[in-house]
Structure formats: C-alpha cells, structure tokens
C-alpha cells in the first residue's frame, strides 16, 4: 500500500517538474524547494527499496538456512511421521483426490486397517500435491519427493512474510522486519521445518501465524473482509494440524479478556463472529474434525464466548434504548444470570447425555503435565511430549528468552487490542511450551514477535538519541525554526551525561547480542536439527565421516526379498517407515489410535518366546523387526525403549508387570538383570548370537556398546523364530516367524 | 530412357533368379558338406557359458555351397544370446578373421525339432575346397543350480547340459570338446569314452566319423561360485541436450539368479568367516562407464546408496557399486545409476547434415546378463526424422516425453532387446535432423515469462484498483 502511494507521488512530482522546466522559471527559491521535496520522496522510496530487499533477503535466508541436511546428507524425508505424509502425498498425486479421500489402508494396523481419509489432516498433503501439480503444469519435471522435502522451508519463508506483516500490524514496520529476521533463523522453528522434515507443523505454523495476523487485522479494522480471510486462514490451519485447538481456545480467551477489560467494540464483534461462524462451518468440512466444533469439550469455550458476545451486543442495544440507568442495571442482572444459567444447563445436559464429549487425554495432559505419566503411558513415552527442560529453552531461544520479558514491557507500555493479543499469545504459548517440548514450536512466533518489539523499540530509541545529538548543533546553527525543539532535546540531553556514548555502547551491545544469536542459530541448525535420523553419521577413527545407513538397508531388504503380503511386527515407532520404505504391512504404527493393539505388541515383546509365539500367530506375523544399538553404540534402540513396551503392555494386560524386569528398581541387561528380562523376546531378538561378537578391543565378547556392559545372557537360543536379516552394523535385525511344526 | 529402364529391370530380375537358385541348391543338399575337423571349447567359469567352435568345412558335393548350417537342440536355442562367426583367412602369422553373417533358418525335415542357424559364406565353397570357421556362441541361463536351494555356508553347484558330440547336420570326421570349469571341484560328469579330466578342464574326445545328428547327452555337475548377476530389466535413458551434455539414467532390477538362499542369514557368520560363509553371494559389482563421466549418482526408490566408488582416468571410468545388502540366491535389488557425459564425445554430424549419436549398446555392468534391455534415446525438442542403426536385431518404436519446459515434447527412440550379454556392448547410432534455432526456445520462454512478470508488477503499481477515491 505504502509503496503504491509513494510511487504515484513520485510520478506526479516528476510530471510537475517537467512542466516547471518547460515554463521558463523565474523563481529560483521555488525550484530549490522543489528539488528538496523530490529528494525527500526519494529517501522514502529508498526506504521502501531497503525494506523490500531486506525482506527478500530474509525470505531467501529462511529457505537456505534449512538446507543443511540436504547438503550434508541428501534430499530425503526425515524421521518417522514425515514418511507417512510422504506416502500419502505420493498416493494423492498418483491416484487423485477422490481416491485419497476414500483410501482404506490395509497395510497398517493389520488386521484392523486404517481409513486414511478420515483420520488425517490433509492440509499438508494437498498443499504439496498442489505445488507439485502447479510445477508440473508449468513444465518443471520435478519429482514429488523434492517438493515434499522443500515444502517446509518454503513455508518457513512464507512465515517470515507473515511475521513481518504481523509485526507491522502490532508495532511498526521496523519491528516487523526484526520479527521476520528473528523467526527466519529461530532454532525453535527450524527444528520442525528443515528440508526433509515433511510434517504438518511445517505448514501449520505458517497457517497459525496467518490466522492470528488476519484476526488481529480484522479486530483493528473491523473489516468483514479481513475477518473472512482469517476464517479461511483458520480453515487452512484446521486442515493442516491438530494444533488448531490452540487457536479456537486462544481467540475466545482474547475476546473474553477484551470484554472484561472494557475494550469491547463493534470491530471486535464483527471480527469474532464472522471468524468463528465461518471458521467453524469451514472446519466441519475436514472429515477428521467433523462436528467436533459443536460436540467436543475442547471447542466449547469458543461457542460460549460467541453467545456471550451476542448477549453483550444485546445489552449494548438495550442500554442504548433504555435511558434509565437503574432499570438497565436490573435488566443486566437478570439477563446475565439467565444467560449464564442457560449456558451452564446446556453444557451440563450436553455433557451428561454424551452429546458433548469430555476433554481428551492429550488436552488434559496439557493442562496437567503429570496426567499423562499416570494415565496414558503411550503419550508419556514419546520423547517430544516430555516437559521442557530449561536447557532446551535456552537452546531454542537463546537471547529471545531475555528479550521476551523486555518486549512484554514495551507491549504493556503501549497497550492496544493488537498488543494485548500478542501478549496473551506469548504467555499462553510459553506455558504450553513448558509443558511439552514440541510446543516450543507454537511459542516461537510469539517469542520472536515480542522480542522483535523489544529489539526494534530499543534500537529505535537509541538511534534517535544518537541522531538528535547530531542534529542539535546542526539545527542550532543552520535553522531557527527547529531551535525550540532542539533546545528542549538539548535540555533533556544535558540531564543525562555521556548519553551519546552510552547509546553507542548499548547499540554495540545489541548488535553483539544479535550477532551471537545469528551464530548460535546457525550452529544449532547445522549441528542439532539437520540430521535426518534415518541415516546416522559418526566420526570414524581417522576423522572421516562414517555413515550408518542400516535403516534403509533393512527396509529395502524387506521391500525386495519378502513376500509382498508379509506382515511385520515391530515397535510402533518404525511402523510408518516400514510401510513407506519397506512397502510391507505392519501391525502398529505411529498413528497410535488403538492402544490395545500397541499393548498387544508390547506384550509380545516382553513375554517369553513361546507365549510371544502364540500372540504372533494370532496376529499372523511373518517377520519381527527390532532395532539394536549394541554394536554401533546407537542409544535410542529398542532395549532402551523396552520399559515403555512393558508399561504400555502392562497397562492393558496385567500379566506384564514392570517390577519383573527390574532389579531393585534398576533396569539392566548384564548378569545382574532380572531373569524375566534375560529371557523375554525383545532381549533374545536383540542379543541373538551377540555373545560371539567382539565389539570393542579389550572388552569381552558380547560387550554392549550402547549401554557399556557385558550382556548377561550370551547363549540365546531361538525356537520359534529364525534370523532372516541383520544389517551391516546390526542396527536393524529382522527375524522370520517359523510356521508351526507339522504334527505328524 | 525406356530402354535403359527395361534393361535395368531385366538385370534385377536376373540377379534375383540367380540368388534364389543358389539358395535352393544349397538348402537341398546339406549332405554335400562335411566337417573335416571340429574343436569345441566351452568356458563355464562364469554364469555366462561361452562356446568357441572351430570348424573345418569341406565341400564334397558338386554344386558350390554358400552357407554352413549350425544345429542346436531346442532347449539350447532359447539360451542362445549371441552367435558370432568368422572365416579364417591366411595362415599362421598372416591369419585374419572375416566376420560372416548369421541368420536363423528353418529346415522342414529337421529331426527332433532341431533348430538351425546359417552362416553365409563370403565366397561360395566349390567342390573340394575347405574353409576354416570360428564360431562364438554365448549362452545365458544355461547353468542350472542343483541343489536349487542352499544355505548360507554352502557353495553353489550347478548342472551343465550339453552333448558330447557336436550336433550337426553334417558328417564330422573328427571332433574334440573341452569344458573348462571355474575350479577343480566337479561332483560328477557323464562319461562318453574317451573322457578325461585334468584340473579344471574336461576333455571329451577325440570322436571319429560321427554321422549327422549324432547326439550324446552329458551332464557336468560342478561348483560355480561366480556372481550370478542377472539384470531382469534394464532401462537406459540417454538424454541429449545440445547445450553440451548427455545425461544417462539406468534403472536396474538386479537379481542373484543362482541357487536360492534357504533358511537363516547370520550376520555373525558372514562377517567373521568371509571366505567360508556366503561364498556364492556377491557384494559388489563393477560398472564400466565411458571416460570423462561426471555427476555420477547411485540411488534407489528410498534414497541415495552411499556405498559406491568411482575411479576415473583418461581412458575409462570404473564405478564400483555395492547394493544395500549382499545378494544371496534369489535376492533382488533395484537401483538407478545416473551420470553425465560431455556431448562432443558422442554426438557427431554426418556428411549429409544429419546429426547422429554414437553410444554403446548393452549393460555397463561387467559379466551380467540382461534379460530385457530397453534403451530410450531422448532427442532434444524439435528434432525430426529419427532412425536408429543397430548392429543386431532389435525392436524399435517412438515415444514422446516431456521434460523441463517442454511444449511439444521430445522424441524418444526406444530400442528393445532381450537376452543381452557383455558381447553386445558395441556402438549403435541414432540419426536425426535438428535445427539449432530450437535451442533458443526455452531460454526465450523463460526470459519472456520474467519480462511479463515484471511488466505485471509495474502495471500493478501504476493501476489504482480501489473503488473509492482515498
């Protein structure tokens, strides 16, 4: 907008200048004045140019800083969930949207299967497929994998634009630029958006910030168009990630706070009603979400606030009509009690009749961090669901952690509807970030925005101090018009000695901090967040890079050398990868929708071989896959995850008891381990024939390098299974379940 | 003018009738030829069986003979990948070979469905003359693993079926057969006296005066642990870009075609006793690529395979690839090898203004059999009248492919051949017309797209779309 008016002005002034030139001028001062004016316009244009080019550079920076993994390893999909997303995207591009929507996947959750269309957020896949189709239409012969790998960085770049607009909306364009720069390289966001991490969050953070920005814009302008846009932003967010629940609870909370603080306005009414009603209707189009907006306890806050708004509006109207203040007070009392009563009654009836479902376990575990540990081990077992440690806050935010409170101070100093929103977003998301590691992601945009306000405001203040100091002698000598202003400033300056030097020192300090931040972010991105986790790299004895590509070795072996209808049993972590890369049916996978099924697998893994054989026969298992790090020293293997299998298995089948696998509350695999531990299926499969192997020089055979002990049961005999394949570094071991013995 | 035409017609007719006469005469009397001496050396050291035949043929009949027939039992014909024949000219030091044409031939009265190939001689053989023929036969899938399934620590034993006496429609006065095995571990062999075995060589013969169509089946059961690398399907895409590079992509479906792996695969055994355990398996393969190869990649459906090594020098490039896992009998691996080559080494302009690509047919992997080879030569957009010149019989058709920024699509010449062996690695040519102006189409498209984009931006900044005057 700004650019447009400016350039128009420029054109106008240019044309006037030419007319002046032709009309033989006699007044020199006029011309002088004019050229000054055009110069001023030029600086404005320069400012625009600088702004646009800085934004362009940030856009590119956000993209390329996420490419470490592509350069270090290759263009590949990372980790676990992205493999499912990739597989579904490939399906979508091959078979089309209709088939995708009705896809019943028989390759996972054998024998139950999974209705893919109804149990996933399609936003990411549709986005990637759309980009793919557009590129194909423009005759760019790209592979769908490349599109998937680069989707997250692309959306991260887009997020910087939204952050700029958002910062501009809540503070000024300077803060917007700083916010864009901060979020472009913030490790908290990069952790989920490096190239290859093709997960919902990559798109969802963009959608989240976009929705918030559009909503704040709608509140600020009261425009129906912006509210409509924010409803569509919300729809995109709902289609992309389950985290939309955060939006549908934060926005009502914000509206409630505005109502309480007496900031109710027509703008707010328009923005919220339009956004809520349309957003809700649109969100219902996503099959996985369905009627949850009217039926689930998690969405009730939004509905309550919606009705409250109507009551508020009604009261406002009545107040406008009734001139009598006393009468209105009485009316207010009656209406409010009635409204609250009706609302509570409706909620109670809904809850009691089961029409409104209670809160889910995941939601509870957010409100009460200890809930999952006691009630839902499957949620607690995921490392990214753990409460956040201070170190990871420091790791992901670095100086933003200190700038955040400073930014809050500035926000409170210049309180407006927009700053209230960003403060609330910051505080609530910070709380959630403390509850769960992965929710640092949600807090990151807020932290970046608020910190950007702090940085921008501070630097602006400091530079204005510097400038006035410069201008004072100039202005005093050259022009008399500004002398009054200058003298006032000068008097202010005199009250603080060494102000200029102090400002310079502080500015230098700020630049030092910001450059440290940039260095830290780059270091974290390259060292911590750019590993695909499917290919492991280590330093060899001679300093060269050693690659452990065992996962793909095993998956590719499964893909090529087992019958195409083979069923593979493994712990659920590897389910998505086995179906995507191995192309084989799995019993359980990372979509942990059926706890009993997972518990059955956990039970099989923690039982003796003959009991496990019964379970495997009943599940029609052909192959068992375990991940074992004893040879390579890879510590996140199945033996270290084993206690969770016991816990989850024991949660459903009380036969499995955790203390049976522990010795004095201690988990060990050496000679002192519990007898049940030494003979359970998982132990046997991991350590089969491991006792013959010398893993490290100077250590006895059967020395487990991941745990640093000599194993307790070196003579593992298998009766019902046989080794089918072991990868070159022993990280993945696959066993074949033997057919039952012939009775004759 | 008319007289000349008539004369030409008469000449053509005359030549034709003479040709048909000679053809009938030679097929009518195969008995007029006899083989004075025959020596056969069968090399069974790899999984591709190579048979070197040296025949001394004499014409005893009255009419001159222009072709010599080779007979094969029907079971052997389907394994036959390649037949090369040459006549030896000169003696001792001045010896040279003249390659001869070989074509299949059907004889109506052949006993036991014997199949024939005919070698056309350069000069018809007159009465009493002799000619010395060298014939190379390459047989694939001719070794049958027995036992068909082996465990990890067993070595692979195979059967070779053949006849001790060369199957021939002619009388053979004296003949000998030598069979070379990879090691001296021979489990059993059929004896047709005189037979004897020395080290890795088995000698059948000398047999004298064997009648036409004599046959003495033999089975040799021996150890063969050489890699039975068979590419079930190979698709080679050669993409020509007139901007100076040739991109090659090769899609392999590799299988170990030896005895099937049975039972467990133990990594401990495989690692600790490499010379003993899994001897019949193979871990790596060697691909011989043209010199000056660049940007080589080796990957499969799920990503890059990090175990490969490239050695280059000025004469050749060698790419050593390891599949993700060692291949045991019956195990499969699919992968893609891709590389770029400088265009000037392969693309030339012929005297009539056509351009032609000169590239090697066959599979770059050493000692492998390709069951089905498809070569797709992707010509640049705008090229016309493609035709391929291949030194042997292939199936051909044309396709259209769309790559980056293609509007009308690229012409693709598709060549298909089954049962390809390393001996097929000879160059073939694809001729086509190309106007260099088409090279500019894509850069111009891009330039104009960017130009339009900027024009649109400028236009947007100068157009006021608001309804209300602000």
């Amino acid at each position: 907008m700004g650019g447009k008016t400016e350039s128009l002005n420029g054109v106008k002034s240019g044309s006037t200048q030419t007319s002046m030139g032709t009309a033989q001028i006699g007044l020199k001062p006029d011309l002088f004045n004019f050229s000054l004016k055009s110069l001023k316009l030029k600086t404005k244009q320069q400012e625009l140019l600088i702004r646009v080019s800085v934004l362009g550079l940030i856009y590119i920076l956000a993209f390329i800083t996420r490419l470490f993994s592509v350069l270090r390893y290759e263009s590949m999909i990372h980790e676990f969930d992205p493999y499912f997303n990739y597989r579904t995207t490939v399906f979508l591009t091959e078979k089309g949207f209709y088939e995708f929507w009705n896809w019943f996947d028989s390759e996972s959750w054998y024998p139950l299967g999974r209705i893919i269309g109804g149990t996933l957020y399609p936003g990411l896949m549709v986005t990637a497929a759309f980009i793919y189709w557009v590129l194909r239409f423009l005759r760019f012969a790209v592979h769908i994998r490349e599109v998937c790998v680069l989707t997250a960085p692309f959306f991260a770049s887009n997020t910087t634009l939204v952050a700029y607009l958002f910062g501009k909306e809540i503070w000024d364009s300077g803060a917007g630029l700083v916010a864009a720069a901060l979020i472009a390289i913030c490790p908290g966001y990069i952790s989920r958006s490096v190239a290859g991490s093709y997960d919902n969050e990559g798109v969802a953070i963009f959608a989240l910030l976009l929705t918030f920005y559009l909503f704040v814009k709608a509140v600020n302008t009261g425009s129906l168009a912006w509210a409509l846009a924010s409803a569509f932003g919300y729809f995109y967010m709902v289609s992309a990630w389950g985290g939309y629940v955060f939006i549908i609870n934060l926005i009502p909370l914000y509206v409630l706070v505005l109502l309480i603080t007496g900031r109710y306005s027509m703008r707010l009414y328009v923005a919220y009603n339009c956004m809520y009603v349309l957003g809700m209707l649109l969100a219902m189009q996503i099959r996985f979400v369905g009627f949850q907006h009217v039926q689930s306890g998690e969405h009730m806050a939004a509905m309550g606030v919606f009705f409250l708004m109507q009551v508020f509006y009604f009261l406002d109207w009545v107040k406008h009509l009734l001139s009598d203040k006393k009468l209105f007070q009485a009316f207010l009392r009656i209406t409010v009690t009635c409204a609250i009563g009706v609302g509570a009654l409706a909620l109670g009836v809904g809850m009691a009749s089961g029409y409104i479902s209670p809160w889910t376990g995941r939601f509870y575990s957010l409100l009460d961090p200890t809930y999952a540990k006691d009630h839902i081990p499957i949620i607690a077992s995921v490392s990214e669901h753990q409460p956040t440690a201070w170190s990871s806050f420091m790791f992901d935010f670095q100086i933003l952690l200190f700038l955040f409170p400073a930014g809050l101070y500035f926000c409170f100093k210049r309180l407006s509807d927009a700053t209230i929103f960003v403060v609330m977003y910051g505080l609530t998301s910070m709380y959630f970030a403390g509850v769960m590691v992965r929710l640092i992601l949600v807090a990151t945009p807020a932290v970046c925005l608020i910190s950007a306000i702090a940085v921008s405001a501070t630097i602006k203040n400091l530079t204005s101090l510097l400038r006035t100091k410069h201008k004072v002698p100039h202005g005093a000598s050259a022009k008399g018009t500004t002398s009054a202003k200058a003298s006032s400033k000068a008097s202010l300056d005199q009250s603080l000695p060494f102000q200029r030097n102090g400002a310079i020192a502080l500015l230098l300090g700020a630049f030092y901090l910001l450059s440290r931040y940039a260095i830290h972010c780059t270091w974290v991105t390259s060292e911590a967040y750019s590993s695909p986790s499917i290919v492991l790299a280590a330093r060899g004895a001679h300093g060269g890079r050693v690659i452990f590509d065992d996962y793909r070795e095993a998956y590719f072996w499964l893909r090529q050398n087992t019958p195409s209808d083979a069923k593979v049993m493994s712990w659920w972590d590897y389910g998505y990868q086995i179906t995507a890369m191995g192309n084989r049916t799995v019993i359980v996978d990372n979509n942990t929708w059926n706890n009993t099924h997972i518990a059955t697998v956990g039970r099989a893994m923690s039982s003796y071989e003959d009991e496990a054989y019964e379970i495997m026969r009943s599940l029609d298992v052909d192959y068992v896959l375990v991940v074992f790090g004893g040879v390579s020293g890879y510590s996140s293997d199945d033996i270290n995850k084993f206690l969770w299998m016991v816990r989850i298995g024991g949660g459903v089948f009380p036969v499995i008891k955790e203390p049976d696998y522990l010795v004095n509350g201690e988990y060990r695999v050496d000679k002192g381990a519990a007898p049940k531990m030494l003979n359970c299926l998982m132990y046997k499969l991991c350590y089969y024939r491991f006792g013959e192997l010398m893993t490290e020089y100077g250590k006895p055979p059967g020395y487990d390098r991941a745990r640093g002990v000599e194993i307790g049961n070196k003579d593992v005999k298998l009766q019902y299974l046989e080794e089918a394949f072991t990868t070159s570094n022993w990280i993945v071991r696959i066993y074949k379940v033997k057919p039952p013995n012939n009775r004759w | 003018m008319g007289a000349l035409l008539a004369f030409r017609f008469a000449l053509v007719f005359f030549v034709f009738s003479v040709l048909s006469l000679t053809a009938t005469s030679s097929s009518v009397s195969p008995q007029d030829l006899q083989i004075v001496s025959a020596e056969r050396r069968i090399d069974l050291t790899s999984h591709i069986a190579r048979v070197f035949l040296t025949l001394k043929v004499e014409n005893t009949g009255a009419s001159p003979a222009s072709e010599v027939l080779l007979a094969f039992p029907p079971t052997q014909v389907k394994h036959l990948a390649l037949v090369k024949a040459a006549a030896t000219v000169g003696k001792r030091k001045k010896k040279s070979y003249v390659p001869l044409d070989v074509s299949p031939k059907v004889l109506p009265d052949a006993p036991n469905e014997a199949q024939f190939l005919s070698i056309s001689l350069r000069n018809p053989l007159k009465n009493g003359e002799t000619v010395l023929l060298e014939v190379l036969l390459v047989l694939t899938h001719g070794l049958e693993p027995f036992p068909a399934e082996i465990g990890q620590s067993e070595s692979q034993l195979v059967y070779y079926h053949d006849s001790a006496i060369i199957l021939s429609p002619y009388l053979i006065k004296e003949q000998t057969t030598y069979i070379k095995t990879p090691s001296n571990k021979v489990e059993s062999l059929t004896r047709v006296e005189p037979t004897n075995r020395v080290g890795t060589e088995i000698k059948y013969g000398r047999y004298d005066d064997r009648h036409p169509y004599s046959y003495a089946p033999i089975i040799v059961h021996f150890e063969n642990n050489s890699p039975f690398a068979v590419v079930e399907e190979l698709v080679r895409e050669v993409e020509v870009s007139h901007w100076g590079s040739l991109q090659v992509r090769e899609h392999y479906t590799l299988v170990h075609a030896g005895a099937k792996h049975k039972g467990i695969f133990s990594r401990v055994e495989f690692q600790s006793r490499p010379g003993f355990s899994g001897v019949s398996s193979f871990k790596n393969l060697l691909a011989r690529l043209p010199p000056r190869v660049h940007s080589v990649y080796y990957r499969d459906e799920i990503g890059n395979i990090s175990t490969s090594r490239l050695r280059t020098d000025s004469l050749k490039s060698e790419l050593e690839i390891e599949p993700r896992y060692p291949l045991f009998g019956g195990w499969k691996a699919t992968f893609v090898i891709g590389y770029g080559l400088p265009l000037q080494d392969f693309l030339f302009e012929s005297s009539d203004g056509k351009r032609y690509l000169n590239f090697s047919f066959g599979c770059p992997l050493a000692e492998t059999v390709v069951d089905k080879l498809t070569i797709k030569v992707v010509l640049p957009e705008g090229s016309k009248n493609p035709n391929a010149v291949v030194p042997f019989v292939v199936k051909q058709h044309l396709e259209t492919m769309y790559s980056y920024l293609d509007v009308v699509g690229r012409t693709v010449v598709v060549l298909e051949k089954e049962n390809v062996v390393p001996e097929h690695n000879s160059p073939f040519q694809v001729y086509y017309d190309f106007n260099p102006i088409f090279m500019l189409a894509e850069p111009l498209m891009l330039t104009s797209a960017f130009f339009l984009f900027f024009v649109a931006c400028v236009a947007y900044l100068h157009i006021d779309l608001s309804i209300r005057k602000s």
Side-chain angles (χ1 to χ4, degrees), chain B residues 73-264:
Chain B
T75 49
Q76 208 172 31
V77 163
K78 66 174 192 275
H79 299 313
L80 205 58
L82 180 84
V83 180
K84 272 187 182 170
T88 317
V89 180
K91 292 233 168 112
R92 298 283 165 194
K93 289 199 173 167
K94 286 182 187 168
K95 203 155 125 183
S96 64
Y97 297 100
V98 183
L100 301 174
D101 289 340
V102 182
S103 55
K105 175 141 188 155
V106 180
L107 287 191
D109 54 346
N112 291 331
E113 296 167 22
Q115 312 269 314
F116 296 91
L117 290 177
S118 95
I119 301 170
S120 323
L121 299 174
R122 285 279 164 104
N123 311 310
L125 205 60
K126 295 192 191 83
N127 184 14
E129 279 183 344
T130 59
V131 66
L132 196 62
L133 296 176
E134 296 276 353
V135 182
L136 168 67
L137 309 170
V138 182
L139 300 165
T140 58
H141 301 287
L143 301 179
E144 179 201 341
F146 187 86
E149 289 192 338
I150 54 170
Q152 188 181 351
S153 55
E154 294 170 75
S155 68
Q156 180 171 274
L157 298 170
V158 292
Y159 277 150
Y160 177 70
H161 301 262
D162 207 338
S163 162
I165 297 156
I166 300 169
L167 188 70
S168 173
Y170 312 117
L171 173 85
I172 303 178
K173 285 201 153 173
E174 56 172 82
Q175 57 177 309
T176 337
T177 295
Y178 302 91
I179 297 179
K180 198 179 176 216
T181 57
S183 67
N184 51 20
K185 282 184 194 158
V186 177
E187 290 285 303
S188 68
L189 56 108
T190 317
R191 292 189 170 269
V192 180
E193 292 305 335
T195 303
N196 67 353
R197 181 163 82 87
V198 180
T200 60
E201 196 170 74
I202 303 161
K203 183 181 174 193
Y204 282 96
R206 211 180 77 194
Y207 307 113
D208 292 332
D209 291 328
R210 295 293 164 146
H211 291 290
Y213 302 114
S214 303
Y215 196 72
I218 52 164
I219 297 176
V220 186
H221 192 202
F222 61 100
E223 184 192 67
N224 189 341
N225 283 323
S226 69
F228 274 48
V230 172
V231 180
E232 287 188 330
E233 190 172 1
L234 171 60
V235 180
R236 303 181 79 194
E237 284 176 36
V238 183
E239 197 174 326
V240 180
S241 161
H242 277 248
W243 290 97
S245 89
L246 195 69
Q247 286 295 325
V248 185
R249 278 181 301 278
E250 296 168 348
H251 303 258
Y252 290 87
T253 310
L254 184 74
V255 67
H256 186 302
K260 295 260 183 299
H261 179 70
K262 173 179 77 178
I264 63 160

Side-chain angles (χ1 to χ4, degrees), chain A residues 224-289:
Chain A
L224 209 55
W226 288 110
L228 185 71
S230 91
F232 274 101
Y234 177 66
F235 171 60
Y236 188 50
M237 176 71 188
V238 174
S239 77
W241 195 34
Y244 77 89
V245 177
F246 179 61
I247 298 184
I248 203 64
N249 282 300
L250 178 66
I251 286 181
L253 193 67
Y254 164 65
V255 172
L256 200 65
V257 167
L258 286 193
L259 290 185
I260 289 167
T261 51
R263 282 173 169 270
Y264 169 79
S265 63
M266 204 56 208
R267 292 178 284 116
L268 184 69
Y269 183 82
V270 168
Y272 183 72
N273 285 338
C274 174
M275 189 262 167
Y276 176 68
V277 173
L278 276 174
M280 179 174 72
L281 289 176
L282 285 171
M284 283 179 188
Q285 312 309 312
I286 307 294
R287 249 170 85 192
F288 192 29
V289 176

Side-chain angles (χ1 to χ4, degrees), chain A residues 425-733:
Chain A
Y425 173 30
L427 291 178
T428 47
S429 63
M430 263 316 224
Y431 166 73
F432 290 128
V435 175
M436 257 191 205
V437 178
R438 70 189 290 203
L439 292 182
I440 281 190
L441 182 70
V442 175
T444 303
V447 171
C448 286
L449 280 169
I450 294 174
S451 309
I453 291 173
V455 171
S456 171
T458 312
I459 290 182
K460 210 168 195 177
N461 287 347
L462 291 174
T463 44
S464 68
L465 277 181
L466 279 185
R467 279 217 200 139
T468 49
K469 195 75 184 170
H470 263 302
K471 270 185 186 169
V472 167
H474 258 280
S477 62
K479 280 183 185 173
T481 45
T482 52
S483 64
K485 225 176 173 181
S487 65
S488 74
K489 280 250 167 100
S491 67
L492 198 81
D493 291 346
Q494 274 152 15
S495 64
L496 293 169
F498 307 117
Q499 189 172 13
R500 199 172 125 75
N501 294 342
I504 290 174
L506 283 175
L507 265 183
L508 287 178
F511 285 126
Y512 174 73
L513 276 182
L514 288 174
S515 57
R516 289 310 305 175
Y517 173 74
I519 292 167
H520 172 81
C521 290
T522 316
W523 175 76
V524 167
T525 312
S526 86
E527 295 298 315
Y529 291 141
S530 293
S531 156
S533 95
I534 195 124
V535 182
L536 312 164
R539 292 262 162 243
H542 305 289
R545 208 161 72 124
V546 186
I547 296 241
F548 296 108
D549 203 357
D550 287 40
Y551 279 109
R552 288 193 294 184
E553 181 181 344
Y555 296 144
F556 207 64
W557 183 85
L558 275 178
R559 187 189 185 108
Q560 299 284 347
N561 302 313
T562 56
S564 58
D565 61 343
K567 290 94 186 167
V568 183
M569 182 173 91
S570 72
W571 191 233
W572 60 265
D573 294 23
Y574 316 107
Y576 278 166
Q577 293 180 347
I578 294 172
T579 36
M581 283 192 272
N583 199 15
R584 291 292 173 269
T585 308
V586 293
I587 307 296
V588 290
D589 67 23
N590 308 45
N591 179 262
T592 52
W593 66 275
N594 189 328
N595 191 36
T596 316
H597 218 50
I598 292 178
T600 313
V601 173
R603 184 185 172 188
M605 292 293 191
S606 42
S607 307
Y608 292 126
E609 198 189 343
D610 49 346
E611 294 161 9
Y613 186 64
E614 292 293 313
I615 298 170
M616 291 188 293
R617 290 290 307 159
S618 70
L619 285 175
D620 207 6
V621 173
D622 299 308
Y623 291 90
V624 184
L625 181 146
V626 293
V627 172
F628 171 61
V631 176
S632 52
Y634 173 58
S635 61
S636 54
D637 65 350
D638 277 349
I639 290 283
N640 282 353
K641 286 175 188 168
F642 183 58
L643 275 191
W644 287 110
M645 302 183 205
V646 172
R647 271 174 215 153
I648 292 168
V652 177
F653 304 101
V655 208
I656 307 293
K657 295 184 199 69
E658 195 181 332
D660 290 351
Y661 300 87
L662 303 174
V663 178
N664 301 327
E666 203 184 340
Y667 179 65
R668 47 203 294 186
V669 294
D670 58 353
K671 279 204 177 63
K676 181 126 198 204
M677 177 73 207
L678 290 179
N679 289 297
C680 69
L681 184 71
M682 178 52 77
Y683 191 94
K684 279 182 149 184
L685 296 188
C686 283
Y687 292 119
Y688 179 66
R689 299 198 72 176
F690 180 67
E692 301 166 30
L693 193 75
M694 288 286 287
T695 51
E696 213 166 299
Y697 183 72
K699 292 284 194 295
Y703 177 77
D704 185 331
R705 292 177 67 191
R707 281 152 286 273
V709 290
E710 187 185 347
I711 59 165
N713 182 0
K714 286 191 192 174
D715 187 31
V716 177
K717 291 267 186 294
L718 289 174
Q719 195 184 345
Y720 300 101
L721 295 117
E722 61 182 21
E723 187 178 359
F725 187 71
T726 298
T727 57
S728 49
N729 299 300
W730 290 58
I731 289 177
V732 184
R733 309 195 70 180

